[in-house]
């Protein structure tokens, strides 16, 4: 059930955006830190899934206790904005193919610049790859229910697609606190990657909501994680692979942004043509002889 505050805010047409965003961010940080601290004492290997990934999900759950109606609306897609495409297979293929493209570009750039893409065969991992793949998807969904299914739609009620996506990307990047203990160039490459991937997902998932949005965002996230698990060595703190990854994400984000701009331009032109076609013509003139 919704709280009295929920009802009052709905009646006034107001959404407590900054309060909800602030609480979400704090809880996501704290919960992730706590889960990361206890993971060594659990039987869950970090190679399979990192418990910190469930910090954003914990934050969404905490907010649902106090803002149930609004949280449910956001998860269903309220605030996502107008759609830019269908909910069919085409969008799913495009989103997942973008994840594969990011990994491929990263590996290609790293292989060219370093001479070794550092590929690790699935059989060389300490655990069965199918188990890791499923666990990575679950963990990615644990993150994305917070980033793309809650925070993005929440900020979208106040800002445009790109502004809200960049903001989510910055928060998402800052949430990976240990990254900032690395070299500045490494942290910069990582932030570039999170912002760019956030733009990709923000544009690609505009107008979607519910389980469909979660599965696409989680699938994209999991594919990127699996690709980086099998290739390169950015987890070692090496700067070059992280910069290659960040630049690959930037290329993907620019591609989606250009597609979005082209669609909006085409839609505006079509609307203008339709308006002109439906406009009444000049009134007929009657000529009289004098």
């Amino acid at each position: 059930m919704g709280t009295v505050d929920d009802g009052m805010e709905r009646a006034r047409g107001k959404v407590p955006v900054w309060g909800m965003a602030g609480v979400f961010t704090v809880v996501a940080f704290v919960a992730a830190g706590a889960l990361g601290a206890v993971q060594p004492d659990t039987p869950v290997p970090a190679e399979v899934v990192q418990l910190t990934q469930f910090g954003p999900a914990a934050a969404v759950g905490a907010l649902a206790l106090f803002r149930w109606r609004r949280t449910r609306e956001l998860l269903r897609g309220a605030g996502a904005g107008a759609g830019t495409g269908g909910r069919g297979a085409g969008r799913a293929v495009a989103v997942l193919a973008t994840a594969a493209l990011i990994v491929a570009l990263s590996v290609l750039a790293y292989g060219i610049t370093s001479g070794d893409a550092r590929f690790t065969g699935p059989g060389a991992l300490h655990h069965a790859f199918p188990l890791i793949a499923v666990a990575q998807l679950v963990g990615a969904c644990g993150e994305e229910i917070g980033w793309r299914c809650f925070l993005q739609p929440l900020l979208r009620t106040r800002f445009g697609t790109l502004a809200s996506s960049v903001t989510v990307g910055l928060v998402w990047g800052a949430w990976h606190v240990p990254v900032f203990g690395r070299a500045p160039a490494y942290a910069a490459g990582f932030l570039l990657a999170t912002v760019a991937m956030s733009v990709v997902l923000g544009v690609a998932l505009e107008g979607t909501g519910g389980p469909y949005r979660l599965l696409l965002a989680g699938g994209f996230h999991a594919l990127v994680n699996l690709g980086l698990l099998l290739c390169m060595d950015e987890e070692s703190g090496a700067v070059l692979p992280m910069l290659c990854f960040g630049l690959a994400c930037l290329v993907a984000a620019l591609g989606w942004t250009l597609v979005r701009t082209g669609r909006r331009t085409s839609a505006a032109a079509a609307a203008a043509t339709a308006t002109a076609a439906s406009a009444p013509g000049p009134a007929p003139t009657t000529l009289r002889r004098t």
Side-chain angles (χ1 to χ4, degrees), residues 124-206:
L125 299 174
H126 295 95
H127 300 85
F129 185 73
L131 171 64
I132 294 176
V134 172
Q136 284 291 325
L137 177 60
V138 173
C141 288
E143 281 195 50
E144 294 303 335
I145 196 173
W147 306 129
R148 246 58 63 176
C149 297
F150 178 84
L151 188 58
Q152 172 78 18
L154 177 64
L155 296 180
R156 188 66 178 84
T157 63
R158 287 289 185 271
F159 306 106
T161 301
L162 294 181
S164 56
S165 298
V166 169
T167 303
V168 172
L170 290 172
V171 176
W172 182 26
W175 178 76
H176 293 80
V177 176
V179 167
F180 298 96
R182 310 277 192 177
Y186 183 95
F190 185 82
L191 275 178
L192 175 61
T194 58
V195 170
M197 286 190 290
S198 187
V199 169
V200 168
L201 290 174
V203 172
L205 302 181
E206 180 82 348

Side-chain angles (χ1 to χ4, degrees), residues 84-272:
T84 56
R87 285 186 48 168
R91 188 193 298 238
V93 170
V95 170
L96 299 181
T98 301
L101 175 64
I102 287 173
V103 174
L105 290 176
S106 302
V107 173
L108 178 62
Y110 187 51
I112 292 174
T113 53
S114 70
D116 184 6
R118 306 288 178 91
F119 176 74
T120 300
L125 299 174
H126 295 95
H127 300 85
F129 185 73
L131 171 64
I132 294 176
V134 172
Q136 284 291 325
L137 177 60
V138 173
C141 288
E143 281 195 50
E144 294 303 335
I145 196 173
W147 306 129
R148 246 58 63 176
C149 297
F150 178 84
L151 188 58
Q152 172 78 18
L154 177 64
L155 296 180
R156 188 66 178 84
T157 63
R158 287 289 185 271
F159 306 106
T161 301
L162 294 181
S164 56
S165 298
V166 169
T167 303
V168 172
L170 290 172
V171 176
W172 182 26
W175 178 76
H176 293 80
V177 176
V179 167
F180 298 96
R182 310 277 192 177
Y186 183 95
F190 185 82
L191 275 178
L192 175 61
T194 58
V195 170
M197 286 190 290
S198 187
V199 169
V200 168
L201 290 174
V203 172
L205 302 181
E206 180 82 348
T208 67
Y212 182 74
R213 185 182 186 91
L214 177 60
L215 286 175
L216 283 186
F220 174 94
H221 193 149
L223 282 178
V224 170
N225 284 351
L226 289 170
L228 296 183
L229 177 65
L230 298 177
C231 304
M232 303 199 302
D233 58 347
E234 82 293 338
E235 290 290 335
S236 68
V239 172
L240 180 59
M242 183 54 71
L243 290 179
C244 291
F245 176 53
L247 291 174
C249 293
L250 178 61
V251 170
L254 290 175
W256 274 96
T257 303
L258 289 175
V259 169
R260 174 178 181 267
T261 302
R263 286 177 176 174
R264 290 168 67 92
T265 302
S266 299

